[in-house]
Amino acid sequence: MESIINNSPIIVISRKVEKDFPVKYISNNIWQFGYTPEDFYSGEIEYADLIHPDDRKVVLKSFKYLNNQLSEFVQEYRVITRFGEIRYVEDRAHIKIYDDKSVHLEGTILDITERKHREMINHQRRSNNGKSLNELSLEDVLGLLTTNAERIRPGLTCAVMLLDKKKQHISRVIGPNLPLFFREAMEGLEIGYGVGSGPTALYMGERVIVENIEEHPYWALHREVAKKAGLKASWAELITASTGEVLGAFLMYFNFPNKPKKTCYEYLKANADLAAIEIEHRIVNESFRESEHKFKTIFNNINDQIYVSELNGNLIDVNQVVVDSLGHSKEHILKSSPMDIVPSWYVQRASELIKLIERDHKAMYEAGAIRKDGSVIPLEINARMINYNGKKTILSVGRDITERKKAEKAKLLNESRLEALIQLNEMTTVSLDEIAEFVKEEAVRLTESKLGYLAFMNADETDLIMHSWSNSAMKECGINDKQFIYPVETTGLWGEAVKQRKAIITNDYSAPNPLKKGFPKGHVKLTRHMNVPIFDGGHIVAVVGVGNKEEEYDESDVRQLTLLMQGMWKIIQRKQLISTLSKYSGELSKANTKLRSVNMIKEEFLEDNLKNGNDVLHGNDVLDDETLNLLDDSQKEAVSALLMNSERLKLLIDAILYNNMQQSGRIEYSFEPVNIRNVLSDVLLNQILLIDEKELALEKSIPTGLPPVKGDREKLEETFLYLIHNAITVTPKGNCIRVKVSDEDSCLHVTVTDSGEGIEEDVIPRMFYKMYQVDDTIARMYQGLESSLYICKSTVVAHKGKIWIESKVGEGSTFHVKLPKWEETENT
């Protein structure tokens, strides 16, 4: 969950409602404004410091008003980044009161600078002091564009350079806030390498970024004029028409050296695109006025769709792009009713739009065009009144905004996914079945599918155990005796996600496929299908599937399902761990009750020994063999249960802490040359009392002069302590354990052998899982047999080594660890 938030544009924040609104939590992606969470947690920066001074009073007042009057709000305002940039944000906040009566503002912050910029440009395009856009010259409109772009931060000056018709010289430089002498110096220049950022970009046909004008070769010929104008950095983006023709360049000048970030490139490109649209539309309109011949040339070759229609909506003419896009002949389109080629929702508002165009002589809106195959092309329409062959008509230039709509849709899906993950993370009190049901339905919704299912794997990954189908699938399914266990080996496409251990997408389910096994009569008809395996380490624990999406499934859908299911799996693990902790704690409590009588025996024993002059206060253990002999079988069983469950509880807590540290990336390794003989000697010395207590024979074969391994000594000691302690624990009293080290090529091979009961062959592969699976039902999917071997494996893998087990029931077990040797050429 935290990883998803930190890789999204949405910042999650919690602020305490008091002076300056100190931040109590903020996600790591605050870095997009140049800050870190520690800047706020340390008190170095309060949230009020982030708000633009001109907006601060209003925003803070709104926050206080929210506390008293409202439960939540959405507000837009400006913030200042660490780099001095001014960004617009949308703040969605709600009030939350905690048990300690503290009041917090909790919500999200989203950077909306680009949207605000487009809104301001569109507003300026619609009107300028009461004048229509047609009354403004191209230079005035581009001047408004550059002036508006400069609002993003202090010290920024923008300009547009236009090419002449031969594409060899700079014809005009439009930048109201640039010094006149600088503009005059640039106008008329022949484009070429080293003539400044704009002319060089136009010469090379690509974006140019100059972070420091005083040092960059692109400014070799004009460095002095830039210095005189106070310009220290310059970025240039090509202004390109929809045909691919280069019209000029959009320039951003800074009065300080400046290196762009990712958002800067997007901002630069967005302004160049706005300039391109304006210039291109001007070219179209001027060409229309010049001659019918020029009009037809542009009309049929511009990449946008162009419609000429009467005021009643009937079409008079369309360009070739419309014909190619819709798939009909031009004659068919011109004879068609408007209802045949535009969606019904547009037809309903067509009369209103025509009245608007008649009144204002222009309008911009979104519409759509219906293809021959029935699909709809989303369009952004720029419509205006024109005189066509002496007749008042409407010219509509439609730009295909399919990609933009996809991006908007993806953004909404991402927001929905984030909301689903937040809701999932809050499901701490519901049952596992309810969690699985929620996730399954969300999987269908977020992938825009019509049906879905959720299945869990058995321990050895041989069977898919169907947990449930989505509600929509159950309504369509006509099978009465539904199957719930699917052997992977005999299951068709549904089993391939397990067999191939990756997501499987089938976008044409009806197509012949040798992997398909067919399905019974009455089964839901599938047109598309996708299923995704969910991993816990290297082990597949579940498979989620969805089907019948209208569009094709892609990698974005795979990511949606994977993130959602991983969130579900972590919650399932967490709930089972809590359940296991509760179980062991309960057993300890019962054992402790039984041991109260043991304490009474100890007190009587101590009292008798002290009367007789015996010194028991300096003994190794008050509860020695003599005391234990006084216990009955029930009390001895309680002592045994206490010791066993205490050890299991300790290992479980250790594993939980390790897993949390691992997920948060807080486990760090410090590699150096490590003497493995010294490590094993220290570990054995640590366990010598336990070895003596069990009267075990210790056989060591650890040669002197072994080369060092590349390792983190502390973590290797923990690993071998787990392995050797485990060997001592499982070995019966009076038996033997063995520790051996061999020098093998590029590694050292360590073995730890016990004389215990051994491990069953089918259990060995699962010994290194985070949890050990003992039951296949969802309610008891995992019990709390947490293995310290998972920690051992994680440590060995981090050392680029190998760990495995060899065992036979009745003959004991051998744990193998191979660690790479230290290379003298390695840099510590």
Side-chain angles (χ1 to χ4, degrees), residues 678-725:
N678 292 344
V679 170
L680 293 172
S681 296
D682 289 348
V683 171
L684 288 169
L685 182 61
N686 179 281
Q687 297 292 298
I688 196 65
L689 293 178
L690 186 56
I691 293 172
D692 290 344
E693 181 183 337
K694 295 193 69 173
E695 301 176 4
L696 301 179
L698 172 61
E699 294 183 8
K700 294 189 299 181
S701 178
I702 308 176
T704 58
L706 290 170
V709 297
K710 178 183 180 181
D712 183 312
R713 181 185 175 98
E714 180 182 346
K715 291 182 175 59
L716 287 180
E717 284 184 356
E718 291 175 355
T719 296
F720 287 112
L721 180 61
Y722 278 129
L723 297 179
I724 292 173
H725 180 80

Side-chain angles (χ1 to χ4, degrees), residues 129 151 356 395 631 653 696 794:
N129 294 328
R151 297 180 182 180
L356 179 64
L395 168 68
L631 304 180
I653 293 171
L696 301 179
S794 296

Side-chain angles (χ1 to χ4, degrees), residues 70-99:
L70 299 173
S71 59
E72 59 183 11
F73 84 137
V74 178
Q75 186 171 6
E76 295 177 359
Y77 53 87
R78 291 170 294 174
V79 298
I80 301 177
T81 70
R82 185 181 286 276
F83 314 107
E85 291 180 328
I86 299 171
R87 310 292 292 179
Y88 285 86
V89 299
E90 181 186 83
D91 191 338
R92 292 177 175 267
H94 66 272
I95 285 290
K96 186 165 185 179
I97 302 175
Y98 286 89
D99 293 338

